[in-house]
C-alpha cells in the first residue's frame, strides 16, 4: 500500500487496501442509480447485474432519445418512437433490477442514504417519501434548463428538454397557425401569432429553428395558404455567431443558409425579459427592443439541479458551478459516490500540481536530474494520467517528449540532455493549457456510463487482487485506467435535408450526403429494434405523406 501511494496514478476505488483478508460477504453490494437518461441507462445496460443488488430511481420510467426531440416538435417523428420503457431495458437484464418511479431530493453521504419522493403514491405519513441505502451511488440526473433568472422565461417560454416539451411545442405551433387564421384578427395580430422566436444559437436552438422552418415551408404553408406569408422565424443569440462549438466553416454555412431561408438570425442580442406578448432584447448599439411574438422556445444552456447544489454544499463544493469528479468519475471526498453525464464535470488533474511527484517517480536513479530515457520510461503513465501532455505535443507538432525537453534546454544538438526540476517544470509549464472540459452531450454521458459499468464489473476482481488487472510501468499502479473520452463527431442538422458534421480529426462535411449519414447514425444508435423500426417508419411516412399536422 505504501508503494502505491507514491505512484503517478492513484487507486481507482476506495476499497480497503489493508492486508487483512476479508471474508466473502454473503450479500451483494447495493448499487443505486439515479436517472434513466443517457448516462444512467447506458450504465445499466452494461452493468453485470448479477454482481450487485441494483436499484434504479427516476421520476420518468422511460429512456428518451434526446437527439430526435427537435424532430418531434415538427411531427417528423412520433414521441413514442423515441422512448423506451426502462422496465423493458431492465427486463433484458434478467429482471433482477428494481425500479422506483420517484425523484431523489437529498443525498446523505455520511449515512450512505438517499431521500426520495414519489409523485404518484403516498405512504402512511401521507407523503410519498422514502429512504434508500446504498454502498455505491451513481448520480446520473442530468441538468435543468438555465434561464439565467431572466424574468418571464419560465412563465412564457417553452423549453426543449423532455418529450412533453416537444409535444407541447408541436401543439403550440399548430395553435399559432389556427389563431392567426381566425376571422376577427387584423394583420398585425396575425403577424404576431406567426412570429416564432428561438432563444439560443447552440445545436438545439439551431436544429429546432431549422426543423420548424421545414415544417412551415414543406407542410403548413400548403394547409394555411392565406396566412403563410406572415410567418417569421427569429433566432436570437447573445454571442457574435451561432454554433460556436463547431468549426468556423459550419458556423458560416449555417448562418448563410438561414439567411437564404429567411430565418432572421440576430447575433449579439441578449434577451432580458419575456412578457406574454413581447420579448425584450438588448444590443449595445440599438439598446432595448421589444418584439411581439406568438411562440418562444428557450434553449440557452443548462444549469445544476437544486438538490445537487445542496449536495455540493454538503461536501465542500459549494463554490463550484458543476459537481466535480476525478478522472475515475468518483465524487471527491465522498465514499462510494460516482457522477456521470450532464450533472457532473471531470476535474482533470494538472501536471503542475504534481510536477514534483512526477519528477521524483521518473528519477529512477535518484540523481536529481532526468534524462530523456528516464522521462520516456514513465511516459505511458503520464499520457494516461495527464492526457493534456499528448494534446499539447500534438498542438505544437512535436514528435515526442524529447522535442519538448530539448526545446526547454534550448540546445537541440546535444543528445544527452538532462533536466533538473526547474528545467523540467519549465518544459511542461504550458501543457495544462490543453486541459479540456467535456461537452454536455449524450455521447459523453453514454461513454461515461459504459466506462463506469466496466469498472463496476471488474471491481470485485480488483478488490481480490489489489494490484489490479491493469499494470502500468513505473512505480504507480492503478486498477482501472482513468476515463478517456473518444469524440466520434457531432452533427448539426440545418434543415432542407442538409446537415453539417464535424468528424474526428476536424473533418468537415456538409450537405445532403451528410443528412444520409445522419439518418443512418441515428437509426443505428437507437436503443432497441422496436424504436429503430418506429423511427425509420416515421421517416418513411414523412417522405411519402409529409409531416402530420394534427395533434
Ligand atoms: P439525462 O439524459 O437528461 O437524464 C437524466 C435522468 O435523470 C432523467 O431520466 C431524469 O428523469 C432523471 N432525474 C432528474 N431528476 C432526478 C432526481 N431528482 N432523481 C432521480 N432522477 C432524476 N447530445 C448529443 O450527443 N447529440 C445530440 O444530437 C443531442 N441532441 C440533443 C437535443 C436536445 C433537444 C436535448 C435536450 C439534448 C440533446 N443532447 C444531445 C444532449 C443530451 O441529451 C444530454 O447530454 C444527455 O441527455 C445527458 O445525459 P444524462 O444521463 O446526464 O442526463
Ligand atoms: Mg441519466
Ligand atoms: Mg436522456
Ligand atoms: Mg458532464
Ligand atoms: Mg536521473
Amino acid at each position: 500500500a505504501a508503494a502505491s501511494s507514491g505512484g503517478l496514478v492513484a487507486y481507482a476505488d476506495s476499497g480497503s487496501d489493508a492486508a487483512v483478508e476479508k471474508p466473502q460477504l454473503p450479500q451483494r453490494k447495493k448499487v443505486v442509480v439515479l436517472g434513466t437518461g443517457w448516462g444512467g441507462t447506458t450504465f445499466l445496460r452494461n452493468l453485470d447485474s448479477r454482481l450487485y443488488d441494483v436499484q434504479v430511481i427516476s421520476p420518468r420510467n422511460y429512456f428518451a432519445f434526446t437527439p430526435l426531440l427537435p424532430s418531434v416538435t415538427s411531427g417528423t417523428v412520433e414521441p413514442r418512437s423515441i422512448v423506451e420503457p426502462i422496465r423493458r431495458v431492465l427486463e433484458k437484464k434478467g429482471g433482477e433490477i428494481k425500479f422506483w418511479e420517484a425523484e431523489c431530493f437529498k443525498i446523505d453521504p455520511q449515512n450512505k442514504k438517499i431521500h426520495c419522493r414519489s409523485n404518484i403514491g403516498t405512504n402512511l405519513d401521507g407523503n410519498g417519501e422514502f429512504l434508500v441505502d446504498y454502498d455505491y451511488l451513481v448520480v446520473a440526473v442530468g441538468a435543468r434548463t438555465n434561464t439565467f433568472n431572466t424574468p418571464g422565461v419560465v412563465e412564457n417560454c417553452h423549453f426543449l428538454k423532455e418529450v412533453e416539451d416537444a409535444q407541447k411545442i408541436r401543439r403550440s405551433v399548430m395553435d399559432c397557425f389556427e389563431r392567426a387564421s381566425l376571422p376577427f384578427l387584423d394583420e398585425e395580430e396575425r403577424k404576431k401569432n406567426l412570429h416564432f422566436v428561438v432563444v439560443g444559437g447552440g445545436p438545439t436552438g439551431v436544429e429546432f429553428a431549422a426543423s420548424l422552418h421545414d415544417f412551415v415551408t414543406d407542410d403548413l404553408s400548403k394547409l394555411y395558404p392565406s396566412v403563410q406569408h406572415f410567418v417569421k422565424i427569429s433566432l436570437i443569440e447573445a454571442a457574435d455567431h451561432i454554433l460556436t462549438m463547431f468549426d468556423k466553416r459550419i458556423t458560416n454555412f449555417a448562418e448563410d443558409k438561414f439567411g437564404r431561408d429567411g430565418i432572421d438570425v440576430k447575433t449579439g442580442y441578449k434577451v432580458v425579459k419575456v412578457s406574454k406578448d413581447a420579448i425584450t432584447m438588448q444590443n449595445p448599439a440599438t439598446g432595448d427592443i421589444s418584439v411581439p411574438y406568438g411562440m418562444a422556445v428557450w434553449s440557452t444552456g443548462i444549469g445544476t439541479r437544486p438538490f445537487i447544489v445542496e449536495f455540493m454544499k454538503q461536501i465542500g463544493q459549494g463554490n463550484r458551478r458543476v459537481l466535480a469528479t476525478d478522472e475515475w468519475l468518483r465524487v471527491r471526498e465522498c465514499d462510494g459516490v460516482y457522477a456521470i453525464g450532464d450533472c457532473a464535470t471531470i476535474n482533470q488533474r494538472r501536471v503542475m500540481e504534481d510536477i514534483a511527484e512526477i519528477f521524483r517517480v521518473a528519477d529512477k536513479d535518484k540523481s536529481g536530474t532526468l534524462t530523456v530515457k528516464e522521462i520516456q520510461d514513465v511516459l505511458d503513465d503520464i499520457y494516461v494520467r495527464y492526457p493534456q501532455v499528448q494534446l499539447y505535443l500534438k498542438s505544437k507538432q512535436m514528435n515526442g517528449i524529447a522535442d519538448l525537453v530539448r526545446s526547454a534546454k534550448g540546445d537541440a544538438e546535444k543528445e544527452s540532455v538532462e533536466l533538473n526540476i526547474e528545467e523540467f517544470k519549465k518544459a511542461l509549464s504550458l501543457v495544462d493549457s490543453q486541459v479540456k472540459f467535456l461537452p454536455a452531450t449524450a455521447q459523453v454521458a453514454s461513454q461515461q456510463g459504459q466506462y463506469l459499468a466496466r469498472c463496476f464489473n471488474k471491481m470485485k476482481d480488483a478488490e481480490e487482487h489489489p494490484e489490479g488487472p491493469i499494470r502500468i510501468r513505473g512505480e504507480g499502479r492503478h486498477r482501472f485506467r482513468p476515463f478517456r473520452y473518444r469524440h466520434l463527431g457531432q452533427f448539426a442538422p440545418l434543415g432542407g435535408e442538409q446537415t453539417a458534421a464535424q468528424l474526428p480529426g476536424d473533418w468537415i462535411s456538409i450537405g445532403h450526403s451528410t443528412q444520409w449519414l445522419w439518418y443512418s447514425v441515428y437509426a443505428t444508435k437507437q436503443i432497441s429494434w422496436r424504436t429503430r423500426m418506429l423511427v425509420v417508419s416515421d421517416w418513411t411516412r414523412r417522405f411519402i405523406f409529409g409531416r402530420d399536422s394534427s395533434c
Side-chain angles (χ1 to χ4, degrees):
S4 66
S5 63
L8 294 178
V9 246
Y11 274 96
D13 106 290
S14 45
S16 156
D17 283 340
V20 201
E21 274 288 327
K22 269 200 277 175
Q24 183 75 42
L25 290 172
Q27 262 183 337
R28 291 174 302 168
K29 291 246 169 85
K30 288 198 187 88
V31 174
V32 174
V33 181
L34 298 181
T36 53
W38 276 100
T41 305
T42 316
F43 174 79
L44 288 164
R45 291 177 79 200
N46 287 280
L47 183 70
D48 184 348
S49 53
R50 294 165 305 183
L51 301 176
Y52 298 98
D53 172 9
V54 188
Q55 300 179 56
V56 185
I57 295 153
S58 176
R60 294 199 167 72
N61 67 353
Y62 55 81
F63 164 82
F65 193 88
T66 49
L68 290 180
L69 277 178
S71 308
V72 172
T73 63
S74 59
T76 305
V77 169
E78 289 300 320
R80 70 190 169 97
S81 307
I82 67 159
V83 303
E84 181 76 356
I86 197 68
R87 288 186 186 274
R88 262 177 188 268
V89 176
L90 301 181
E91 183 207 62
K92 292 200 186 109
K93 312 265 343 171
E96 290 191 74
I97 304 177
K98 298 180 200 80
F99 173 77
W100 321 117
E101 185 176 309
E103 63 179 10
C104 169
F105 64 93
K106 189 179 173 205
I107 300 172
D108 177 358
Q110 271 85 41
N111 302 307
K112 293 198 152 197
K113 277 184 203 314
I114 57 163
H115 296 248
C116 303
R117 188 186 297 126
S118 157
N119 293 322
I120 49 173
T122 49
N123 56 23
L124 291 178
D125 295 338
N127 58 33
E129 293 179 11
F130 57 98
L131 281 171
V132 178
D133 296 315
Y134 67 82
D135 294 305
Y136 301 113
L137 179 66
V138 178
V139 185
V141 294
R144 62 172 178 83
T145 16
N146 202 346
T147 65
F148 302 98
N149 295 322
T150 312
V153 173
V154 174
E155 298 83 352
N156 301 301
C157 293
H158 287 276
F159 298 122
L160 181 48
K161 193 92 179 50
E162 311 288 347
V163 179
E164 294 92 334
D165 298 335
Q167 287 172 293
K168 276 190 211 146
I169 290 173
R170 181 175 170 187
R171 214 166 301 135
S172 172
V173 171
M174 299 316 303
D175 285 348
C176 287
F177 272 88
E178 291 300 351
R179 217 177 299 127
S181 310
L182 288 171
F184 48 80
L185 291 194
D186 63 22
E187 192 162 298
E188 277 313 300
E189 282 180 281
R190 290 190 215 282
K191 270 194 189 150
K192 167 183 177 289
N193 272 297
L194 292 174
H195 184 205
F196 300 98
V197 178
V198 184
V199 186
T204 304
V206 166
E207 186 179 350
F208 170 68
S211 77
L212 179 63
H213 176 263
D214 280 0
F215 189 22
V216 171
T217 44
D218 298 351
D219 305 281
L220 297 177
S221 59
K222 293 180 199 124
L223 302 178
Y224 299 87
S226 61
V227 294
Q228 53 124 334
H229 52 282
F230 293 124
V231 177
K232 180 175 172 193
I233 301 173
S234 300
L235 178 64
I236 303 169
E237 165 59 51
D240 292 337
H241 290 283
I242 59 171
L243 294 180
T244 46
M245 61 294 295
F246 282 92
D247 187 277
K248 202 88 210 78
R249 283 167 283 175
I250 292 182
T251 301
N252 292 342
F253 182 87
E255 287 175 356
D256 290 348
K257 179 170 189 306
F258 278 11
R260 285 194 304 275
D261 287 348
I263 298 176
D264 184 16
V265 180
K266 276 195 158 32
T267 52
Y269 279 91
K270 188 171 165 239
V271 172
V272 289
K273 198 178 105 195
V274 184
S275 70
K276 203 170 131 293
D277 299 302
I279 204 157
T280 309
M281 50 189 139
Q282 228 171 39
N283 171 298
T286 59
D288 281 12
I289 51 170
S290 272
V291 284
Y293 72 97
M295 187 194 87
V297 172
W298 187 272
S299 162
T300 58
I302 56 174
T304 305
R305 293 190 187 279
F307 89 101
I308 296 291
V309 174
E310 279 308 309
F311 173 57
M312 288 164 67
K313 281 186 198 146
Q314 277 180 63
I315 59 171
Q317 290 196 13
N319 56 342
R320 298 186 48 97
R321 283 201 3 249
V322 185
L323 180 63
T325 69
D326 64 13
E327 299 89 330
W328 288 269
L329 311 179
R330 299 173 296 180
V331 177
R332 294 180 168 185
E333 317 295 334
C334 210
D335 184 40
V337 182
Y338 300 77
I340 57 178
D342 285 2
C343 68
T345 175
I346 296 174
N347 214 348
Q348 177 63 48
R349 199 79 200 156
R350 310 288 151 132
V351 169
M352 280 304 125
E353 288 171 51
D354 300 344
I355 193 89
E357 186 63 12
I358 298 172
F359 189 91
R360 195 185 62 73
V361 173
D363 187 16
K364 275 270 165 44
D365 60 2
K366 307 279 170 242
S367 64
T369 55
L370 292 185
T371 61
V372 171
K373 181 170 180 313
E374 277 178 320
I375 299 175
Q376 243 141 15
D377 282 346
V378 292
L379 206 55
D380 284 347
D381 277 12
I382 293 179
Y383 283 170
V384 167
R385 191 69 184 83
Y386 312 95
Q388 63 265 42
V389 175
Q390 230 168 349
L391 292 173
Y392 181 78
L393 292 176
K394 215 168 127 195
S395 77
K396 292 279 171 231
Q397 269 133 25
M398 290 183 176
N399 282 323
I401 202 94
D403 280 2
L404 193 65
V405 167
R406 290 202 190 94
S407 77
K409 258 320 220 198
D411 50 354
E413 276 88 88
K414 248 175 53 197
E415 261 308 301
S416 56
V417 274
E418 290 196 30
L419 298 185
N420 62 29
I421 176 85
E422 285 312 317
E423 288 163 332
F424 187 57
K425 253 191 206 164
K426 193 178 145 225
L428 293 174
S429 60
L430 294 176
V431 294
D432 288 329
S433 64
Q434 293 293 320
V435 166
K436 296 260 189 301
F437 288 100
L438 299 179
T441 61
Q443 213 178 123
V444 170
S446 63
Q447 285 184 26
Q448 291 183 334
Q450 187 174 38
Y451 164 85
L452 195 61
R454 287 190 180 146
C455 292
F456 271 66
N457 294 346
K458 286 188 293 198
M459 190 132 57
K460 199 148 166 269
D461 188 43
E463 269 166 16
E464 283 156 13
H465 311 280
E467 293 280 89
I470 299 164
R471 277 153 212 263
I472 302 268
R473 274 177 301 154
E475 209 179 327
R477 295 210 171 89
H478 65 108
R479 292 168 189 164
F480 307 114
R481 281 175 175 256
F483 172 72
R484 193 83 176 261
Y485 172 58
R486 249 180 8 112
H487 185 62
L488 302 173
Q490 201 179 353
F491 288 107
L494 300 172
E497 296 293 303
Q498 298 207 56
T499 286
Q502 187 163 345
L503 301 164
D506 279 337
W507 201 69
I508 306 291
S509 137
I510 305 174
H512 295 287
S513 56
T514 318
Q515 178 74 30
W516 284 99
L517 182 65
W518 182 91
Y519 280 125
S520 65
V521 166
Y522 282 163
T524 317
K525 294 249 180 255
Q526 290 302 316
I527 187 167
S528 71
W529 278 100
R530 190 187 65 87
T531 56
R532 190 169 300 133
M533 277 275 297
L534 291 172
V535 164
V536 171
S537 74
D538 285 350
W539 286 336
T540 316
R541 190 208 59 216
R542 206 279 290 162
F543 270 110
I544 301 171
F545 301 109
R547 296 172 186 80
D548 195 351
S549 60
S550 62
C551 279

